[in-house]
């Protein structure tokens, strides 16, 4: 079957493709270097809708190559360039089309189609040039790898091969061409390490330093400079020297390093990284076609697997649902926020003050019980601004302005009389929080939102003694505030639409992923994690060794083990939340006597790190009182997953969130659960746990799974 027929068949499966055109124009190069053909990839939209490659888009590029191939053969042109529309080069395969595929042979056709088109660039009778003028990802990077030469813009903000992050492999040449261009070790960094490191992006200068691009030019006149450079290359005035690739032991060491990175991140739980490493390992012999065939096969296998569907589902949750929160009121009801008050000046309160200051750039005032604490809180914010200045993230003028906007006072009336939004981050006890809100209500303007950063207490109860409970809203951040995107916005029984709309508008300005949550004990993330951790704690208390209980969870590929997470949260906070939930749901949530003993002994966690690796603290081991029921890893995992599936089912029945999708969005953005799981519900569906526990799946077939 010809490439054109292959792509025509694939295009019929994907009628809603946003089609990319490949416009060919001709001009004379500078320096009298000759006639040149430039292909511009453009889908007709501005930079907010990046250019992608679906089947019809590939067919358009194929047709453009037909034209320039003939011109090159006839001696009419001396070279061919490929570039993108303003700010965007191309961002790879169109994932909406991938989701629709139901058969292995259709998935195979997508892989082959991309290869067949891109390969033609390397076979033209004249040299080919890729000009990475803007964002380039996945297939966008790969189309350039098939060219003879590459230039990159210093203004380019994002360049990556993100496929492994989503559950795929770079399947249009990335796994094969990149190690043959820059060496296996650097390729492993780009394909595996960056991808598994929350899809880390490269900037233009890094692309050049890695040797992916042959020249780096400023953004303002990038194309003009690239064409002058192209002319010099074609005239022989510039010779591009590329390093000799070490095809010996260094190659195998690089692949071994990649496997260690994959093991540390996904623990063998997701296949994509390992498939990519197999292809990189085989690419050592320099046989490109063999590599392309392996990429096609891996791509098809992974497209028909659950992890990729879960990965795309996660991507869509974060990119789409996260930006349009389910159940949020009309944004036109939101009131302006021109000053923010923060009650408390401890670490959490200081982090919140810094975030509001940086994102809203309005006056922020902290209060606390004594001057020393207030000064310490303001001092923290000033020190963090200095760090930003030191890293070149802000200039001196901006640093001075931000510092001037943050102040600290002891008197709430002085600090909050003109505040539009006041958030408390004080001790997690109902009486303390009610007292704080009563004091704030007495001095803040009638329109001011009163927000609480509580992690588990009832927002409705907190507001119940106020004259205006309708303006109280839960605004629960996750630690570290600067890193985790989630913000659980909690609607109390009395919260009105205007207050809620204002909370969502502020969340958007803070660049947080906001999810609307019912006022239920511990909301979403802490409730699920406490049930999850509680079951592990029960299993340890009953007699299973700590290391067996911990190891049982590794196949989930979570960012850290349960007891390391407990250390991060703090055992005392973990105990407090479990006590709160035990009070609400005593039949399902227990309070571990061993955890209590660890907290009372003042221990910061279960582990010591003397050897660099976590080992059970001998003092903690001496405190543990265990029964004699020892479970296997499989039994531990089944019991923990059953408990989580039951809890999520009950939360959905209670209407804690609108849909299972919101549970997954919360776990991905608030607890760092892996993209390849889809959060948690697709995994529970895939493993049959949802059916076993609740008698039904959380998601309909075809959502985060291969369509029937």
């Amino acid at each position: 079957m010809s490439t054109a027929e292959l792509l025509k068949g694939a295009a019929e499966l994907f009628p809603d493709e946003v089609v990319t055109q490949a416009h060919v124009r001709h001009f004379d190069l500078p320096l009298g270097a000759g006639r040149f053909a430039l292909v511009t990839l453009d889908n007709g939209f501005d930079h907010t809708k990046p250019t992608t490659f679906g089947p019809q888009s590939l067919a358009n590029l194929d047709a453009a190559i037909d034209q320039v191939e003939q011109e090159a053969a006839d001696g009419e042109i001396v070279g061919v360039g490929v570039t993108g529309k303003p700010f965007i080069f191309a961002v790879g395969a169109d994932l909406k089309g991938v989701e629709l595929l139901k058969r292995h042979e259709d998935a195979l056709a997508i892989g082959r189609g991309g290869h067949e088109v891109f390969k033609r660039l390397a076979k033209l009778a004249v040299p080919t040039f890729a000009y990475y003028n803007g964002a380039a990802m996945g297939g966008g990077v790969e189309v350039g790898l098939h060219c003879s030469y590459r230039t990159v813009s210093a203004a380019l903000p994002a360049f990556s091969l993100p496929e492994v992050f989503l559950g795929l492999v770079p399947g249009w040449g990335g796994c094969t061409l990149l190690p043959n261009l820059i060496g296996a070790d650097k390729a492993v960094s780009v394909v595996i390490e960056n991808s598994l490191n929350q899809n880390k992006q490269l900037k233009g200068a890094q692309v050049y330093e890695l040797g992916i691009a042959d020249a780096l030019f400023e953004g303002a006149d990038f194309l003009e400079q690239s064409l002058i450079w192209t002319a010099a290359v074609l005239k022989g005035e510039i010779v591009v020297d590329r390093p000799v690739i070490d095809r010996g032991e260094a190659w195998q060491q690089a692949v071994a390093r990649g496997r260690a990175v994959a093991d540390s991140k996904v623990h063998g739980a997701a296949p994509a990284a390992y498939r990519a490493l197999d292809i990189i390992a085989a690419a050592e012999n320099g046989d490109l076609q063999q590599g392309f065939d392996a990429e096609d096969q891996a791509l098809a296998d992974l497209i028909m697997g659950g992890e990729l569907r879960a990965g795309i589902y996660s991507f869509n949750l974060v990119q789409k649902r996260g930006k349009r929160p389910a159940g949020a009121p009309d944004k036109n009801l939101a009131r302006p926020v021109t000053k923010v008050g923060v009650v408390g000046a401890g670490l959490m309160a200081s982090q919140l003050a810094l975030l509001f200051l940086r994102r809203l750039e309005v006056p922020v005032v902290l209060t606390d019980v004594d001057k020393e604490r207030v000064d310490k809180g303001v001092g923290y914010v000033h020190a963090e601004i200095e760090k930003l200045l030191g890293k070149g993230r802000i200039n001196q003028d901006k640093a001075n302005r931000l510092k001037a906007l943050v102040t600290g006072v002891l008197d709430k009336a002085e600090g909050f009389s003109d505040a539009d939004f006041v958030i408390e981050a004080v001790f997690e006890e109902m009486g303390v929080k009610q007292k704080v809100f009563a004091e704030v209500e007495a001095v803040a303007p009638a329109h001011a939102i009163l927000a609480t950063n509580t992690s588990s207490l009832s927002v409705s109860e907190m507001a119940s003694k106020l004259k205006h409970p309708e303006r109280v809203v839960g605004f629960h951040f996750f630690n570290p505030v600067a890193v985790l995107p989630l913000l659980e916005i909690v609607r109390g029984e009395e919260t009105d639409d205007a207050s809620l709309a204002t909370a969502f508008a502020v969340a958007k300005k803070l660049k947080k992923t906001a999810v609307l949550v019912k006022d239920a004990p511990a909301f979403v993330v802490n409730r699920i994690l406490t049930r999850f951790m509680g079951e592990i704690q029960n299993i340890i208390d009953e007699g299973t060794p700590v290391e067996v209980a911990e190891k049982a969870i590794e196949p989930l590929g979570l960012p850290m083990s349960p007891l390391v997470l407990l250390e991060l949260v703090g055992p005392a906070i973990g105990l407090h939340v479990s006590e709160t939930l035990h009070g609400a749901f005593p039949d399902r949530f227990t309070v571990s006597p061993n955890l209590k003993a660890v907290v009372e002994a003042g221990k910061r966690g279960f582990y010591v790190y003397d050897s660099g690796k976590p080992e059970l603290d001998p003092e903690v081991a001496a405190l543990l009182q265990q029964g004699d029921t020892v479970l296997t890893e499989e039994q531990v995992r089944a019991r923990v997953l059953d408990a989580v599936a039951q809890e999520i089912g009950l939360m959905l029945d209670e209407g804690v969130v609108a849909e299972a999708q919101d549970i997954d969005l919360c776990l991905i953005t608030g607890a760092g659960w892996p993209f390849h799981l889809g959060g948690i519900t697709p995994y529970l569906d895939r493993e049959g746990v949802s059916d076993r526990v609740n008698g039904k799946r959380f998601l309909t077939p075809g959502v985060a799974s291969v369509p029937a």
Side-chain angles (χ1 to χ4, degrees):
M1 189 188 287
S2 71
T3 305
E5 289 169 325
L6 198 68
L7 292 170
K8 187 169 182 287
E12 284 165 7
L13 298 171
F14 185 17
D16 300 325
E17 177 185 351
V18 176
V19 176
T20 297
Q21 303 297 333
H23 304 290
V24 182
R25 60 193 172 106
H26 299 85
F27 47 81
D28 292 324
L29 283 170
L31 315 176
R35 195 88 178 138
F36 192 74
L38 182 67
V39 180
T40 303
L41 305 169
D42 191 346
N43 61 5
F45 293 91
D46 70 10
H47 65 279
T48 58
K49 194 163 236 178
T51 308
T52 53
F53 293 118
Q56 186 54 54
S57 306
L58 287 171
N60 290 344
L61 179 57
D62 197 44
I65 296 172
D66 282 343
Q67 180 187 336
V68 296
E69 184 178 56
Q70 190 60 54
E71 291 166 355
D74 293 346
E76 293 172 15
I77 53 174
V78 293
V80 175
V82 180
T83 194
K85 66 184 184 182
F87 308 109
I88 305 286
F89 182 77
V91 298
D94 193 319
L95 292 175
K96 291 195 294 296
V98 172
E99 280 180 285
L100 300 171
L101 298 173
K102 297 180 184 180
R103 301 184 314 161
H104 192 275
E105 53 264 43
D106 295 333
L108 201 57
I110 288 287
R112 286 196 181 133
H115 271 132
E116 291 307 317
V117 175
F118 290 0
K119 267 183 353 194
R120 297 182 66 198
L121 288 166
K123 291 179 178 168
L124 293 180
V126 293
T128 49
F129 298 79
Y131 307 129
Y132 291 125
N133 64 302
M137 294 169 206
V141 168
E142 289 169 305
V143 70
L145 295 178
H146 285 268
C147 294
S148 324
Y149 302 96
R150 286 154 294 283
T151 66
V152 66
S153 165
L156 180 146
F159 182 103
S160 65
L161 289 170
E163 287 84 351
V164 167
F165 179 63
L166 292 169
L168 274 177
V169 298
W172 285 341
C175 291
T176 303
L177 293 173
L178 194 62
N180 277 294
L181 176 68
I182 61 172
D185 197 62
K186 289 177 181 174
V188 163
S189 293
V190 176
V191 174
I192 307 296
E193 196 168 16
N194 290 357
S195 203
L196 291 178
N197 191 8
Q198 291 301 314
N199 191 19
K200 182 181 171 190
Q201 300 293 322
L202 297 168
K203 300 266 194 289
Q206 294 168 300
V207 174
Y208 172 65
E209 282 156 20
L210 281 166
I212 299 171
D214 302 307
L216 174 75
F217 299 113
E218 287 304 317
D221 56 351
F222 169 70
L223 192 57
E224 192 184 334
Q225 293 301 321
S226 291
L227 293 171
I228 294 169
W229 181 86
T230 297
V233 169
L234 290 172
K235 290 186 76 177
E237 291 168 12
I238 289 177
V239 177
V240 173
D241 275 331
R242 299 211 178 105
V244 176
I245 301 299
D246 187 334
R247 298 184 185 278
E249 202 177 318
W251 197 291
Q252 284 113 41
Q253 284 172 345
V255 173
R257 182 175 76 83
R259 292 195 195 284
V261 169
D263 287 344
S264 73
K265 293 286 187 182
V266 299
H267 310 284
Y274 302 97
R275 291 296 293 267
L277 285 162
D278 289 344
I279 301 168
I280 292 172
E284 187 185 345
N285 65 9
D287 183 337
L288 300 185
Q289 189 54 51
Q290 174 195 316
F292 296 160
D293 291 343
E295 287 174 351
D296 288 341
Q297 202 55 54
L299 209 56
D301 292 349
L302 291 165
I303 284 173
M304 300 316 291
E307 280 86 358
L308 169 68
R309 305 303 171 126
I312 295 174
Y313 164 82
S314 298
F315 187 77
N316 288 336
L317 287 183
V318 172
Q319 295 297 323
K320 295 176 184 165
R321 194 179 185 92
K323 291 178 172 58
R324 289 189 287 279
D330 181 351
K331 62 176 186 283
N332 294 320
L333 296 171
R335 294 191 285 260
V337 172
T338 59
K339 183 178 179 182
V340 173
V342 182
V343 187
L347 182 59
M348 189 65 175
S350 304
Q351 286 184 61
L352 295 182
L354 179 69
L355 180 70
F356 279 92
L357 182 67
R358 284 198 66 203
R359 297 283 184 243
L360 271 59
E361 295 191 24
V362 299
V364 175
V365 60
L366 295 111
T367 68
D368 212 317
V369 293
D370 58 53
K371 189 171 186 311
E372 191 184 340
R373 291 184 203 201
V374 170
D375 290 347
K376 191 177 175 188
V378 173
Y380 168 87
V381 177
H382 281 195
E384 291 299 312
I385 291 168
E386 281 295 329
K387 282 185 197 169
L388 293 169
L389 178 64
K391 289 176 183 168
R393 303 266 291 279
I394 55 174
N395 61 25
Q396 188 66 58
D397 181 48
K398 179 89 174 268
N400 295 344
R401 206 164 67 246
L402 289 176
K403 281 185 186 176
L405 285 171
V406 62
T407 53
V409 296
L410 290 176
D411 180 8
K412 291 187 181 69
E414 182 191 338
F416 300 157
S417 62
D418 56 348
D420 306 301
F421 192 101
V422 180
I423 184 165
E424 69 73 27
V426 298
F427 188 65
E428 194 73 349
E429 195 176 278
M430 184 58 77
V432 176
K433 292 191 185 275
Q434 285 180 331
K435 179 171 179 286
V436 161
F437 270 162
E439 291 169 358
V440 173
E441 188 179 45
V443 298
H447 69 270
I449 304 299
L450 307 185
T452 169
N453 183 44
T454 183
S455 59
S456 60
L457 299 176
S458 166
V459 174
S460 304
E461 190 182 338
M462 217 176 285
S464 62
K465 297 183 178 175
L466 297 178
K467 294 188 188 75
H468 294 285
E470 70 277 0
R471 57 182 176 154
V472 176
V473 64
F475 215 62
H476 180 217
F477 290 88
F478 289 79
N479 219 344
V481 171
V483 177
L484 291 173
L486 180 64
L487 186 51
E488 290 178 337
I489 295 188
V490 187
R491 181 172 208 153
E493 284 167 20
E494 303 284 340
T495 310
D496 64 20
D497 280 355
S499 301
L500 203 60
T502 306
F504 273 101
V506 169
K508 190 170 185 182
K509 283 189 176 160
L510 294 176
K511 297 187 177 171
K512 291 295 178 187
T513 300
V515 175
L516 180 61
V517 180
K518 186 179 161 185
D519 187 17
F523 317 126
V524 177
V525 173
N526 283 345
R527 180 161 163 187
I528 293 169
L529 289 185
T530 305
R531 185 75 199 274
F532 173 78
M533 304 280 286
E535 206 53 53
I536 287 168
Q537 199 72 59
N538 291 341
I539 287 164
I540 292 169
D541 292 353
E542 289 162 20
T544 298
V546 169
E547 59 274 14
V548 175
E550 286 264 85
K551 204 163 184 318
I553 305 305
E554 277 188 2
L556 289 174
L558 299 180
M560 61 190 75
S561 76
L563 293 182
V564 173
L565 174 64
L566 181 68
E567 206 167 290
L568 186 73
V569 170
I573 292 173
L575 179 65
H576 176 75
V577 177
S578 67
E579 287 170 342
T580 302
L581 282 161
H582 177 66
F585 310 114
D587 56 326
R588 299 194 310 281
F589 288 85
T590 54
V591 178
S592 162
N594 280 324
L595 179 57
K596 217 169 190 172
V598 167
V599 172
E600 283 166 3
K603 303 302 289 184
R604 293 181 57 186
F606 276 63
Y607 292 129
V608 286
Y609 295 85
D610 300 340
S611 66
K613 294 203 304 279
E615 290 171 5
L616 189 60
D617 183 341
E619 291 177 21
V620 171
L623 291 172
L624 294 183
Q625 296 195 349
Q626 293 180 280
D628 51 14
T629 305
V630 179
L631 302 184
T632 65
E633 286 177 28
E634 289 73 20
Q635 289 169 321
V636 171
R637 193 160 52 249
R639 199 167 125 185
V640 171
L641 291 174
D642 284 5
V644 170
Q646 182 196 29
E647 203 57 42
I648 293 171
L650 291 165
M651 288 165 73
L652 292 171
D653 291 345
E654 291 168 29
V656 175
V657 288
E659 291 180 289
Q661 279 88 335
D662 292 314
I663 299 269
D664 294 319
L665 183 56
C666 284
L667 284 174
I668 291 164
T669 56
W673 280 43
F675 258 57
H676 68 258
L677 292 188
I680 184 64
T681 67
Y683 179 80
L684 295 171
D685 285 351
R686 207 163 64 230
E687 297 294 312
V689 182
S690 319
D691 273 324
R692 184 170 75 234
V693 175
N694 300 324
K696 60 180 181 184
R697 294 167 61 97
F698 287 114
L699 303 167
T700 52
V703 177
S705 58
V706 179

